[in-house]
């Protein structure tokens, strides 16, 4: 689950007064542009979807993707080694039991004492259990990684899309969401959806992770949709930056597909300013060769904002002093740095500064 933050990553605006339209969904929902129909036709009503553009450096994306590739290659290698080692043993057991062929796995019950038979049965049972666990719990990892079909697989996605500065990321809800939820009815279930969406669109959390790292127990990555969306943009049917900015897609029986645009893309002027400052903050540190400082600052703000008592002005000032020390330890003038990007005002998590 994305870490909790006080940053206003996603806010559900209050419903507008007056009678709701019978043809338009109520606030904060809206109808998606008709231009998006080729993409929306591929969505499943059983899920909530989130789209955004991953703009992290290509080198970082390559390094992050290399980790699961190597891990799954090692797993496949170990499984192949295990299969080559154990299959002859299982074949001999089958021949002994089914064909009556005498071999080293045959147990002569007339000559083997009960204690010896029990030990052999226990040993074989443990061997069967180990291989069953490997097949049920470990084998699905590389299988889904290299050949997954239900939602595609990351290897096919990278093969088709490659590594780019700007990449379309499509997340879809896991089992916590079910199609019977009425998103137009206020209550606990609607709050659950909004809560999960709010955390998943936290600008600080999104700023520190590439698309591939956004897999969680609440959200999965839909590789097929990511490939389809990229192809639609390559054909100029859709515009990547305009049509796949941070947006939530939710289906309603009454209105069909509805969207909510995350404030990281469009909402209040203050939230948009906060997003611009996050980007400027990270870009400036990257240019100085201090990108790691960006992530340390995020960790500091997230930690301090999660402490008891809230993240009021006093705690924000203490956090700023700690951040100033981090910058000075790296040889960066804290005050000049923030003056260059327009100050801290409006930064998510530093609302009172």
């Amino acid at each position: 689950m994305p870490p909790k933050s006080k940053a206003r990553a996603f806010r559900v605006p209050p419903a507008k007064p007056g009678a709701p339209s019978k043809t338009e969904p109520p606030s904060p929902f809206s109808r998606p542009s008709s231009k998006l129909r080729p993409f929306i036709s591929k969505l499943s009503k059983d899920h909530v979807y989130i789209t955004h553009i991953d703009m992290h450096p290509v080198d970082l994306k390559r390094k992050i993707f290399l980790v699961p590739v190597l891990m799954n290659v090692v797993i496949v290698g170990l499984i192949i080694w295990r299969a080559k080692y154990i299959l002859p043993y299982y074949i001999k057991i089958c021949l002994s039991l089914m064909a009556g062929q005498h071999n080293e796995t045959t147990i002569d019950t007339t000559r083997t004492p009960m204690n010896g038979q029990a030990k052999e049965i226990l040993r074989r049972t443990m061997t069967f259990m180990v291989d069953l666990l490997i097949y049920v719990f470990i084998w699905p990892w590389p299988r889904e990684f290299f050949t997954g079909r239900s939602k595609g697989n990351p290897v096919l996605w990278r093969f088709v899309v490659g590594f780019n500065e700007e990449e379309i990321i499509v997340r879809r809800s896991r089992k916590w969401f079910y199609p019977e939820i009425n998103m137009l009815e206020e209550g606990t279930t609607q709050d659950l959806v909004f809560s999960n969406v709010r955390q998943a669109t936290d600008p600080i959390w999104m700023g520190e992770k590439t698309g591939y790292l956004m897999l969680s127990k609440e959200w999965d990555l839909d590789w097929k949709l990511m490939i389809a969306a990229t192809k639609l943009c390559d054909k100029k049917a859709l515009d990547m930056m305009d049509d796949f900015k941070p947006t939530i897609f939710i289906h309603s029986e009454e209105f069909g597909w509805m969207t909510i645009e995350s404030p990281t893309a469009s909402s209040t002027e203050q939230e948009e300013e906060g997003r611009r400052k996050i980007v400027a903050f990270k870009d400036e540190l990257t240019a100085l060769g201090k990108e790691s400082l960006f992530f340390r600052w995020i960790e500091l703000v997230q930690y301090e904002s999660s402490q008891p008592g809230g993240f009021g002005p006093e705690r924000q000032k203490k956090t700023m002093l700690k951040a100033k020390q981090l910058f000075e330890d790296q040889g960066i003038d804290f005050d000049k740095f923030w003056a260059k990007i327009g100050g801290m005002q409006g930064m998510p998590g530093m609302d009172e500064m």
Side-chain angles (χ1 to χ4, degrees), residues 171-224:
R171 284 176 282 171
R172 74 178 192 183
S173 58
R174 290 185 182 262
K175 292 183 179 180
W176 59 267
F177 180 84
Y178 46 94
E180 290 77 16
I181 291 179
N182 183 2
M183 285 304 301
L184 303 179
E185 181 180 345
E186 295 184 3
T188 305
T189 53
Q190 187 193 66
D191 291 342
L192 170 66
V193 175
F194 283 143
S195 175
N196 283 334
V197 168
R198 186 180 297 112
Q199 292 180 24
T201 54
D202 184 303
I204 295 179
W205 183 78
M206 291 178 68
E208 66 178 337
K209 292 184 179 290
T210 67
Y212 189 84
L213 294 179
M214 290 184 175
L215 287 163
S216 68
K217 66 179 183 180
E218 281 82 27
W219 300 95
D220 209 345
L221 290 173
D222 198 311
W223 313 106
K224 280 186 177 179

Side-chain angles (χ1 to χ4, degrees), residues 23 25 29-32 40 45 183-184 249-259:
T23 59
F29 305 101
S30 61
R31 290 191 183 278
I40 291 176
K45 300 177 183 178
M183 285 304 301
L184 303 179
F249 293 82
I250 302 176
H251 189 270
S252 161
E253 290 299 326
E254 184 177 354
F255 295 101
W257 282 101
M258 307 179 296
T259 61

Side-chain angles (χ1 to χ4, degrees), residues 61-62 64-73 140-163 167-170 174 210-215 220-227:
K61 293 172 183 174
R62 285 199 182 98
I64 288 175
F65 189 70
L66 185 61
V67 174
V69 169
L70 294 176
M71 182 185 73
N72 282 283
V73 167
W141 297 352
R143 182 185 63 196
E144 286 298 312
F145 186 79
F146 291 108
T147 63
R149 294 184 179 181
S150 61
K151 58 181 183 296
N153 61 79
V155 171
L156 180 62
W157 170 60
R158 280 303 182 197
F159 180 79
V160 174
V161 174
F163 294 89
E167 296 177 349
I168 300 171
I169 303 299
V170 182
R174 290 185 182 262
T210 67
Y212 189 84
L213 294 179
M214 290 184 175
L215 287 163
D220 209 345
L221 290 173
D222 198 311
W223 313 106
K224 280 186 177 179
L225 280 175
M226 288 153 67
I227 292 172

Side-chain angles (χ1 to χ4, degrees), residues 10 15 26 73 84 87 96 108 114 170 193 254 290 309 340 348:
F10 173 83
V73 167
K84 290 179 67 176
L87 277 179
S96 177
D108 189 342
M114 283 297 279
V170 182
V193 175
E254 184 177 354
K290 303 289 185 180
K340 187 174 182 180

Side-chain angles (χ1 to χ4, degrees), residues 27 54 87 115 119 245 276 294 316 322:
S27 177
D54 181 359
L87 277 179
N115 188 38
K119 287 182 179 179
K245 57 191 175 184
R276 284 196 297 266
F294 171 76
Q316 288 184 21
K322 293 180 180 180

Side-chain angles (χ1 to χ4, degrees), residues 77-89:
L78 291 174
I79 290 176
I80 291 174
W81 172 82
R82 176 66 181 175
K84 290 179 67 176
Y85 171 79
I86 204 67
L87 277 179
Y89 174 69

